[in-house]
Amino acid sequence: MGLILRAVIIYLTILIIFRMSGKRTLSQLTTFDFILLLMVGEATQEALLMDDQSIIGSLLIIGTLVSLDVIFAWFSKRSVLFDKIANGVPVIILKNGELIEENMQNAQIEMNDILEAARRDQGLESLEQVKYAVLEKDGKISII
C-alpha cells in the first residue's frame, strides 16, 4: 500500500508542477528542458521505489500511474471544471493583429512564437495578417 500511496502523491505533485510551469513548457523542449525531464524521471523513480527493487513493486507503481492517468482523463471528459483545472483552457494571445500583452505574459509567450506559428501554419509574414492567435490547451499556437 505504501508504494501505491507514494505513486499517487508523486503523480499529483508532478502534475501540479508542470501545470504551474505553463503550457509551452512541454510543447517546446529545449536541451535544458530535456535534461531536466530526464533528471525528474530519475528522481521520481528513486522516490517511488525507495528500497523496493522488486518487479512486483515496479508493476504496482506502473499500474497506479496508468490508472491515475485513466481516472484523470475520465474526470476531464465528464467535468468541465476538472478539465479546466487539469488541462487549462485556450487563451487568445492576439486579436486582429494586436498582441494581448497580459495573456502573453501569463502564458510566457513571445511575439516571435506567434510569428513562427503564422509562418509555419499559414505562410503569413506579419502579425497584421492574423485575425486571432490562440494558445491551445496542448501548448500549440493556432493561427486564424
Side-chain angles (χ1 to χ4, degrees):
M1 188 65 178
L3 285 174
I4 293 173
L5 185 58
R6 275 200 311 263
V8 169
I9 291 169
I10 291 172
Y11 180 89
L12 293 174
T13 302
I14 291 173
L15 176 71
I16 290 168
I17 289 169
F18 279 110
R19 281 291 295 132
M20 289 173 55
S21 69
K23 295 176 189 178
R24 298 291 283 183
T25 302
L26 296 177
S27 71
Q28 291 184 337
L29 284 178
T30 64
T31 303
F32 174 78
D33 296 329
F34 181 69
I35 292 169
L36 180 63
L37 195 58
L38 289 174
M39 292 173 69
V40 167
E42 179 65 24
T44 301
Q45 175 199 358
E46 290 177 19
L48 286 171
L49 292 175
M50 286 179 46
D51 294 331
D52 187 345
Q53 300 297 322
S54 69
I55 291 176
I56 299 295
S58 296
L59 293 175
L60 268 174
I61 289 170
I62 292 168
T64 300
L65 294 175
V66 170
S67 296
L68 282 172
D69 191 53
V70 169
I71 290 168
F72 272 56
W74 185 85
F75 275 117
S76 288
K77 286 182 181 179
R78 283 158 184 73
S79 169
V80 174
L81 178 61
F82 184 86
D83 186 51
K84 284 181 183 178
I85 292 169
N87 299 313
V89 295
V91 176
I92 297 173
I93 52 178
L94 181 138
K95 182 176 180 181
N96 296 323
E98 298 290 325
L99 299 172
I100 302 174
E101 295 288 339
E102 183 179 348
N103 291 354
M104 288 178 59
Q105 287 176 354
N106 290 340
Q108 301 172 349
I109 298 289
E110 296 178 9
M111 182 179 63
N112 289 335
D113 296 326
I114 300 170
L115 281 169
E116 179 183 334
R119 285 190 307 271
R120 183 183 59 242
D121 298 343
Q122 304 290 331
L124 303 177
E125 297 175 355
S126 71
L127 294 180
E128 291 76 30
Q129 296 173 291
V130 178
K131 184 172 182 177
Y132 288 101
V134 180
L135 179 63
E136 302 293 350
K137 293 190 309 185
D138 64 0
K140 293 194 167 70
I141 298 174
S142 295
I143 301 296
I144 301 169

